[in-house]
Amino acid sequence: MNYAELGRRIRQAREDATLSQDVVARHLGLTRPAVSLIESGKRKVDSLELRSFSKLVGKSVAFFLDDETATVKADPVDDEDPINILFSANQVVDISQDRPQVERFAQFHKDFGSLARMLDRWPKPYSSQPRYNIYKPTPAAARWMANQERARLGLPLSSPIQDMCNILQSQGIRVMAWDLSTPKLGGCFIFSQTLGSFVLVKRNLRYHSTNMVNFVLAHEYCHDSIHRQHKGITCDPNSHYRKPEEYFAQWFAANLLMPEEALVPRLQGYQEQSKGAINAEIVMNLALDFGVSYTAMLNRMSSKGVELIDTGTRKQLSKAKVSDLLVKIGRSITPLQISRFPMEYLDMAFEAYSLGYISLGKLAELLDVPIEEAKAQLEKRNLPVYLGTSSEEELLSDIENA
C-alpha cells in the first residue's frame, strides 16, 4: 500500500472520530504539521505511531493496511451492533414510535466509547458469559435465580429492596432516564464487551414513577445477568419484543423485589393491625414497603404459586386510585432521582472539552442541549466557557488556516 492511500485512511478515521489534527498530534507526540504530512502521504508512519493512532480512533491496525478488508472493518463497538437491545415489557408491543430514542440510546453508546478512547479510559473487556445458566425460562427458574442473586449480594430474603438503582450501579451498570412514548415500554438494556452494561429507564411515569422504575431496573438487571450474549430486537417499525426473555425478566424482578419470605409476614402484620380482610390500603402500604407500584404488588399477590388474593379480589382492588390511597395512609413516593446521562459520561464530556479535544458545539451535542445550556453547565463546573471555536467546522477551518 502506498503512503497516499494510508494517509487518506488515517484522515478519514480521524474525521469519523471527530478528532482534530492537534488532538492526534498530542496523542502521538508529534507536531500538527507532521500529522498533516502523514495524512497527505508525504511522511512515513512507523508501527508504534500507527498502533497508537488505531487505539485512539478505535480501529484495528488491519483497517489501515489490509487492502481487502479496510473498507469493511469497523469500530469494536460497532462490531457488536449495539442497536440490538433488550427491552422491558411483558407482552408483544410495537415500539416503532420510540425508534428515535432507541437509536439515540445506541448513539450515546458510541459517543461513550469515543470519549473513553479520546481520554484513554478504555476499560478491560467485559465478559459476555451469563452469571447463571438458565436452560428453561420458567417461573420456578426465575425464583431460584432471584434467591441466588439476593444471596450473592448479601440481601436477606426477609428484607425489601427499595433502591434498585444503587444495586445496579454497585455492579458497574450505568443507569439513565429518558422520556419514552410507548405505553408498555419501561426501559432498554444494552451491553458490549468493550464498554459493559447500560440501562435506560422511562422517566415520564407520573408522580409514582420511582416505584415503577424500581421494577423496571430489576427487570433490566435480569438481562444483565443472563442475556448479555443475546441479540435483542433491532428497532424496526415491524419488530416486536422477544417474549421468552421478557417474561422471564418480569418473573425474576417480581421474585427479587417481593420474595414471599418477606411479603407474607408483612401482610400478616398489616392484617393484624386492621383486623380485617386484605384491602387497598394494605396493598398500597406493601407496595411502598417493597419499593414497587400498586399494580406490581397486586400482580405479585395474585400470581400463580403465591395467590394471597384471588382473581376477583384483585379485580376489585385494581379500581382504587393511587393518589387517594396515599392520602388515606398518609404516605408519599419520593420523586425519581435518575439523571439523563451517567455521571461518568458527563465527566468525560466536560474533561474532553476542557482539554480542547472537542468544541463547544460538540459538547452541546453530546449533552443533547442547546449551546447556551452547555455554557451554563460549564459555568456550574467552574470551567472556562470559551476555549476557542463553537463547532467542529470552525475548528477544522482554523487548523487549516493556521
Side-chain angles (χ1 to χ4, degrees):
M1 177 186 295
N2 59 49
Y3 293 145
E5 176 59 20
L6 177 58
R8 185 193 67 77
R9 293 179 182 180
I10 288 174
R11 176 168 184 166
Q12 184 63 52
R14 174 180 64 79
E15 292 177 347
D16 288 345
T18 66
L19 300 175
S20 69
Q21 288 183 338
D22 282 337
V23 171
V24 173
R26 285 196 293 269
H27 182 80
L28 299 181
L30 302 173
T31 63
R32 188 198 63 77
V35 174
S36 181
L37 289 173
I38 289 172
E39 292 185 353
S40 62
K42 297 177 182 178
R43 182 192 183 280
K44 181 180 179 180
V45 184
D46 66 36
S47 59
L48 291 178
E49 290 170 345
L50 185 57
R51 186 176 295 112
S52 180
F53 178 76
S54 298
K55 181 179 179 181
L56 176 66
V57 298
K59 297 184 183 295
S60 66
V61 173
F63 175 90
F64 302 98
L65 301 178
D66 191 329
D67 288 334
E68 293 184 0
T69 60
T71 57
V72 295
K73 294 242 181 229
D75 183 298
V77 176
D78 292 335
D79 285 342
E80 297 167 46
D81 195 9
I83 206 167
N84 284 327
I85 297 172
L86 288 166
F87 300 89
S88 61
N90 59 2
Q91 57 185 301
V92 178
V93 294
D94 179 11
I95 59 171
S96 58
Q97 59 186 316
D98 276 312
R99 176 176 183 137
Q101 289 290 60
V102 175
E103 290 180 341
R104 177 69 183 87
F105 187 33
Q107 181 60 49
F108 156 81
H109 183 268
K110 294 179 181 179
D111 291 339
F112 192 102
S114 295
L115 289 169
R117 282 196 304 273
M118 196 180 296
L119 300 170
D120 199 21
R121 291 191 187 179
W122 205 253
K124 294 180 179 179
Y126 291 80
S127 172
S128 63
Q129 294 302 309
R131 185 174 292 129
Y132 301 99
N133 291 312
I134 304 297
Y135 298 102
K136 190 174 182 179
T138 63
R143 176 174 180 173
W144 172 84
M145 181 177 144
N147 290 348
Q148 291 293 112
E149 190 58 18
R150 270 183 168 263
R152 190 185 74 83
L153 295 171
L155 301 171
L157 288 175
S158 58
S159 300
I161 302 174
Q162 292 192 327
D163 190 351
M164 279 301 301
C165 187
N166 280 338
I167 289 180
L168 267 67
Q169 292 176 337
S170 73
Q171 300 303 301
I173 303 170
R174 290 102 168 184
V175 181
M176 61 198 79
W178 296 359
D179 288 347
L180 297 171
S181 300
T182 306
K184 294 186 178 296
L185 175 60
C188 312
F189 169 78
I190 193 171
F191 170 81
S192 72
Q193 286 186 283
T194 49
L195 298 177
S197 298
F198 298 83
V199 166
L200 169 65
V201 294
K202 191 172 190 174
R203 182 174 55 187
N204 48 323
L205 287 169
R206 303 184 301 282
Y207 62 91
H208 50 294
S209 60
T210 301
N211 287 25
M212 286 187 173
V213 166
N214 214 33
F215 194 94
V216 172
L217 290 174
H219 176 115
E220 303 298 348
Y221 188 58
C222 177
H223 287 324
D224 178 72
S225 298
I226 64 173
H227 294 142
R228 288 184 174 189
Q229 79 285 16
H230 285 203
K231 289 297 182 182
I233 305 304
T234 301
C235 190
D236 291 329
N238 297 321
S239 61
H240 301 286
Y241 299 104
R242 293 199 309 187
K243 294 169 65 176
E245 289 88 346
E246 300 308 317
Y247 280 130
F248 185 84
Q250 291 292 95
W251 296 329
F252 168 84
N255 281 280
L256 183 72
L257 294 174
M258 299 168 280
E260 289 181 71
E261 293 82 351
L263 180 56
V264 172
R266 283 182 178 256
L267 172 60
Q268 292 173 341
Y270 281 120
Q271 283 187 285
E272 290 175 2
Q273 292 177 18
S274 65
K275 298 180 181 180
I278 298 174
N279 56 36
E281 288 82 358
I282 289 177
V283 176
M284 189 71 252
N285 272 307
L286 287 172
L288 295 175
D289 291 347
F290 286 86
V292 298
S293 68
Y294 180 76
T295 300
M297 180 55 69
L298 279 178
N299 291 340
R300 179 61 172 160
M301 294 175 71
S302 62
S303 62
K304 186 176 181 180
V306 179
E307 299 166 332
L308 295 172
I309 56 176
D310 58 32
T311 303
T313 301
R314 187 206 177 288
K315 184 176 181 180
Q316 182 62 34
L317 294 177
S318 66
K319 298 177 181 178
K321 291 184 177 181
V322 171
S323 56
D324 294 340
L325 292 175
L326 290 173
V327 172
K328 286 183 179 180
I329 65 177
R331 297 179 67 177
S332 60
I333 298 175
T334 304
L336 187 64
Q337 299 296 324
I338 302 174
S339 61
R340 178 167 174 75
F341 294 112
M343 187 58 65
E344 181 183 3
Y345 174 79
L346 297 176
D347 288 343
M348 288 195 297
F350 285 112
E351 182 178 350
Y353 175 77
S354 65
L355 292 173
Y357 290 176
I358 61 175
S359 68
L360 179 59
K362 184 62 177 180
L363 175 64
E365 178 186 325
L366 292 173
L367 302 181
D368 204 15
V369 298
I371 286 183
E372 291 303 318
E373 174 60 26
K375 290 179 181 178
Q377 293 192 34
L378 284 168
E379 291 174 350
K380 287 182 180 179
R381 289 174 173 250
N382 295 318
L383 292 173
V385 174
Y386 292 104
L387 291 177
T389 60
S390 62
S391 70
E392 298 300 327
E393 291 75 15
E394 291 179 33
L395 179 62
L396 291 174
S397 176
D398 284 354
I399 290 173
E400 292 296 330
N401 296 324

Short mmCIF file of all heavy atoms in Angstrom, two decimals, residues 238-265:
data_model
loop_
_atom_site.label_atom_id
_atom_site.label_comp_id
_atom_site.label_asym_id
_atom_site.label_seq_id
_atom_site.Cartn_x
_atom_site.Cartn_y
_atom_site.Cartn_z
N ASN A 238 -41.52 -2.83 12.17
CA ASN A 238 -42.32 -4.06 12.24
C ASN A 238 -41.84 -5.03 13.30
O ASN A 238 -42.33 -6.15 13.39
CB ASN A 238 -42.31 -4.76 10.88
CG ASN A 238 -42.94 -3.91 9.79
OD1 ASN A 238 -43.95 -3.25 10.02
ND2 ASN A 238 -42.34 -3.92 8.61
N SER A 239 -40.83 -4.64 14.10
CA SER A 239 -40.29 -5.59 15.07
C SER A 239 -41.01 -5.48 16.41
O SER A 239 -41.55 -4.46 16.77
CB SER A 239 -38.80 -5.35 15.25
OG SER A 239 -38.56 -4.05 15.74
N HIS A 240 -40.98 -6.58 17.16
CA HIS A 240 -41.64 -6.66 18.46
C HIS A 240 -40.68 -7.28 19.47
O HIS A 240 -39.59 -7.73 19.14
CB HIS A 240 -42.92 -7.49 18.37
CG HIS A 240 -43.92 -6.94 17.40
ND1 HIS A 240 -44.68 -5.82 17.65
CD2 HIS A 240 -44.27 -7.34 16.16
CE1 HIS A 240 -45.46 -5.57 16.62
NE2 HIS A 240 -45.22 -6.47 15.70
N TYR A 241 -41.08 -7.33 20.71
CA TYR A 241 -40.27 -7.91 21.75
C TYR A 241 -40.20 -9.43 21.62
O TYR A 241 -41.15 -10.07 21.18
CB TYR A 241 -40.84 -7.58 23.13
CG TYR A 241 -40.91 -6.12 23.41
CD1 TYR A 241 -42.11 -5.44 23.35
CD2 TYR A 241 -39.77 -5.41 23.73
CE1 TYR A 241 -42.18 -4.09 23.61
CE2 TYR A 241 -39.82 -4.05 23.99
CZ TYR A 241 -41.03 -3.40 23.93
OH TYR A 241 -41.09 -2.07 24.18
N ARG A 242 -39.08 -10.01 22.08
CA ARG A 242 -38.99 -11.46 22.15
C ARG A 242 -39.56 -11.89 23.49
O ARG A 242 -39.00 -11.60 24.55
CB ARG A 242 -37.54 -11.91 22.00
CG ARG A 242 -36.99 -11.63 20.62
CD ARG A 242 -35.78 -12.45 20.30
NE ARG A 242 -34.77 -12.38 21.33
CZ ARG A 242 -33.57 -12.92 21.20
NH1 ARG A 242 -33.25 -13.56 20.10
NH2 ARG A 242 -32.67 -12.84 22.17
N LYS A 243 -40.66 -12.57 23.47
CA LYS A 243 -41.40 -12.86 24.68
C LYS A 243 -40.67 -13.68 25.74
O LYS A 243 -40.75 -13.34 26.92
CB LYS A 243 -42.72 -13.53 24.31
CG LYS A 243 -43.65 -12.62 23.54
CD LYS A 243 -44.83 -13.36 22.95
CE LYS A 243 -45.73 -13.93 24.01
NZ LYS A 243 -46.92 -14.55 23.42
N PRO A 244 -39.96 -14.77 25.42
CA PRO A 244 -39.35 -15.58 26.47
C PRO A 244 -38.44 -14.79 27.41
O PRO A 244 -38.57 -14.90 28.63
CB PRO A 244 -38.57 -16.64 25.69
CG PRO A 244 -39.27 -16.74 24.39
CD PRO A 244 -39.74 -15.36 24.09
N GLU A 245 -37.55 -13.97 26.85
CA GLU A 245 -36.64 -13.20 27.68
C GLU A 245 -37.39 -12.19 28.54
O GLU A 245 -37.06 -11.96 29.70
CB GLU A 245 -35.63 -12.44 26.81
CG GLU A 245 -34.59 -13.32 26.15
CD GLU A 245 -35.05 -13.86 24.81
OE1 GLU A 245 -36.26 -13.77 24.51
OE2 GLU A 245 -34.21 -14.37 24.05
N GLU A 246 -38.44 -11.59 27.97
CA GLU A 246 -39.18 -10.56 28.69
C GLU A 246 -40.03 -11.14 29.81
O GLU A 246 -40.09 -10.59 30.91
CB GLU A 246 -40.04 -9.76 27.72
CG GLU A 246 -39.25 -9.04 26.64
CD GLU A 246 -38.12 -8.20 27.19
OE1 GLU A 246 -38.32 -7.51 28.21
OE2 GLU A 246 -37.02 -8.25 26.63
N TYR A 247 -40.71 -12.24 29.55
CA TYR A 247 -41.48 -12.88 30.60
C TYR A 247 -40.59 -13.32 31.75
O TYR A 247 -40.91 -13.13 32.93
CB TYR A 247 -42.26 -14.08 30.05
CG TYR A 247 -43.53 -13.72 29.32
CD1 TYR A 247 -43.81 -14.23 28.06
CD2 TYR A 247 -44.47 -12.86 29.89
CE1 TYR A 247 -44.98 -13.90 27.38
CE2 TYR A 247 -45.64 -12.52 29.23
CZ TYR A 247 -45.88 -13.05 27.97
OH TYR A 247 -47.03 -12.71 27.31
N PHE A 248 -39.45 -13.91 31.42
CA PHE A 248 -38.54 -14.39 32.46
C PHE A 248 -38.03 -13.22 33.29
O PHE A 248 -37.94 -13.32 34.52
CB PHE A 248 -37.37 -15.16 31.85
CG PHE A 248 -36.47 -15.79 32.87
CD1 PHE A 248 -36.79 -17.04 33.41
CD2 PHE A 248 -35.33 -15.14 33.32
CE1 PHE A 248 -35.98 -17.61 34.38
CE2 PHE A 248 -34.52 -15.71 34.29
CZ PHE A 248 -34.84 -16.95 34.81
N ALA A 249 -37.70 -12.12 32.64
CA ALA A 249 -37.20 -10.95 33.36
C ALA A 249 -38.28 -10.38 34.30
O ALA A 249 -37.97 -9.90 35.39
CB ALA A 249 -36.73 -9.88 32.39
N GLN A 250 -39.54 -10.44 33.87
CA GLN A 250 -40.64 -9.99 34.74
C GLN A 250 -40.76 -10.89 35.97
O GLN A 250 -40.92 -10.40 37.09
CB GLN A 250 -41.97 -10.01 33.96
CG GLN A 250 -42.08 -8.95 32.86
CD GLN A 250 -42.16 -7.55 33.39
OE1 GLN A 250 -41.15 -6.87 33.49
NE2 GLN A 250 -43.35 -7.10 33.74
N TRP A 251 -40.69 -12.20 35.76
CA TRP A 251 -40.77 -13.14 36.89
C TRP A 251 -39.61 -12.93 37.84
O TRP A 251 -39.77 -12.95 39.06
CB TRP A 251 -40.78 -14.58 36.37
CG TRP A 251 -41.96 -14.93 35.54
CD1 TRP A 251 -43.22 -14.43 35.63
CD2 TRP A 251 -41.98 -15.87 34.45
NE1 TRP A 251 -44.03 -14.99 34.67
CE2 TRP A 251 -43.31 -15.88 33.93
CE3 TRP A 251 -41.03 -16.70 33.84
CZ2 TRP A 251 -43.68 -16.68 32.86
CZ3 TRP A 251 -41.40 -17.51 32.78
CH2 TRP A 251 -42.72 -17.50 32.30
N PHE A 252 -38.43 -12.74 37.29
CA PHE A 252 -37.24 -12.53 38.12
C PHE A 252 -37.41 -11.27 38.96
O PHE A 252 -37.14 -11.27 40.16
CB PHE A 252 -36.00 -12.41 37.23
CG PHE A 252 -34.78 -11.92 37.97
CD1 PHE A 252 -33.99 -12.80 38.68
CD2 PHE A 252 -34.45 -10.56 37.96
CE1 PHE A 252 -32.87 -12.34 39.38
CE2 PHE A 252 -33.33 -10.11 38.65
CZ PHE A 252 -32.54 -11.00 39.36
N ALA A 253 -37.84 -10.17 38.33
CA ALA A 253 -37.99 -8.91 39.05
C ALA A 253 -38.99 -9.04 40.19
O ALA A 253 -38.77 -8.53 41.30
CB ALA A 253 -38.44 -7.81 38.08
N ALA A 254 -40.10 -9.72 39.95
CA ALA A 254 -41.12 -9.90 40.99
C ALA A 254 -40.56 -10.68 42.18
O ALA A 254 -40.80 -10.33 43.35
CB ALA A 254 -42.33 -10.62 40.41
N ASN A 255 -39.80 -11.73 41.89
CA ASN A 255 -39.23 -12.55 42.96
C ASN A 255 -38.09 -11.84 43.68
O ASN A 255 -37.90 -12.01 44.90
CB ASN A 255 -38.74 -13.88 42.40
CG ASN A 255 -39.86 -14.88 42.19
OD1 ASN A 255 -40.32 -15.52 43.12
ND2 ASN A 255 -40.33 -14.98 40.95
N LEU A 256 -37.31 -11.07 42.94
CA LEU A 256 -36.19 -10.35 43.57
C LEU A 256 -36.70 -9.27 44.51
O LEU A 256 -36.20 -9.12 45.62
CB LEU A 256 -35.30 -9.73 42.49
CG LEU A 256 -34.05 -9.01 43.00
CD1 LEU A 256 -33.02 -10.02 43.51
CD2 LEU A 256 -33.43 -8.14 41.90
N LEU A 257 -37.70 -8.51 44.07
CA LEU A 257 -38.20 -7.38 44.85
C LEU A 257 -39.22 -7.78 45.91
O LEU A 257 -39.32 -7.14 46.95
CB LEU A 257 -38.82 -6.34 43.92
CG LEU A 257 -37.86 -5.64 42.96
CD1 LEU A 257 -38.63 -4.75 42.00
CD2 LEU A 257 -36.82 -4.83 43.71
N MET A 258 -40.02 -8.82 45.62
CA MET A 258 -41.12 -9.19 46.53
C MET A 258 -41.10 -10.68 46.86
O MET A 258 -42.05 -11.41 46.56
CB MET A 258 -42.45 -8.81 45.89
CG MET A 258 -42.62 -7.34 45.61
SD MET A 258 -44.06 -6.95 44.55
CE MET A 258 -43.38 -7.34 42.93
N PRO A 259 -40.03 -11.18 47.50
CA PRO A 259 -40.00 -12.61 47.86
C PRO A 259 -41.09 -12.93 48.87
O PRO A 259 -41.39 -12.12 49.75
CB PRO A 259 -38.59 -12.79 48.45
CG PRO A 259 -38.20 -11.43 48.93
CD PRO A 259 -38.82 -10.47 47.96
N GLU A 260 -41.67 -14.10 48.73
CA GLU A 260 -42.74 -14.49 49.65
C GLU A 260 -42.28 -14.46 51.10
O GLU A 260 -43.06 -14.15 52.01
CB GLU A 260 -43.22 -15.90 49.30
CG GLU A 260 -44.00 -16.00 48.01
CD GLU A 260 -44.46 -17.42 47.75
OE1 GLU A 260 -45.37 -17.88 48.48
OE2 GLU A 260 -43.91 -18.07 46.85
N GLU A 261 -41.00 -14.81 51.32
CA GLU A 261 -40.47 -14.86 52.68
C GLU A 261 -40.55 -13.51 53.38
O GLU A 261 -40.58 -13.44 54.61
CB GLU A 261 -39.01 -15.34 52.65
CG GLU A 261 -38.83 -16.79 52.22
CD GLU A 261 -38.82 -16.98 50.72
OE1 GLU A 261 -39.14 -16.01 49.98
OE2 GLU A 261 -38.50 -18.09 50.27
N ALA A 262 -40.57 -12.42 52.60
CA ALA A 262 -40.71 -11.09 53.18
C ALA A 262 -42.13 -10.57 53.08
O ALA A 262 -42.62 -9.86 53.96
CB ALA A 262 -39.75 -10.12 52.48
N LEU A 263 -42.80 -10.93 51.99
CA LEU A 263 -44.14 -10.41 51.72
C LEU A 263 -45.18 -10.93 52.70
O LEU A 263 -45.99 -10.16 53.26
CB LEU A 263 -44.54 -10.76 50.29
CG LEU A 263 -45.91 -10.28 49.81
CD1 LEU A 263 -46.05 -8.78 49.96
CD2 LEU A 263 -46.12 -10.70 48.35
N VAL A 264 -45.19 -12.23 52.93
CA VAL A 264 -46.23 -12.84 53.76
C VAL A 264 -46.22 -12.32 55.20
O VAL A 264 -47.27 -11.93 55.73
CB VAL A 264 -46.11 -14.39 53.73
CG1 VAL A 264 -47.08 -15.01 54.75
CG2 VAL A 264 -46.41 -14.91 52.33
N PRO A 265 -45.06 -12.27 55.89
CA PRO A 265 -45.07 -11.74 57.26
C PRO A 265 -45.56 -10.29 57.35
O PRO A 265 -46.28 -9.94 58.28
CB PRO A 265 -43.59 -11.85 57.68
CG PRO A 265 -43.03 -12.93 56.82
CD PRO A 265 -43.73 -12.78 55.51
#
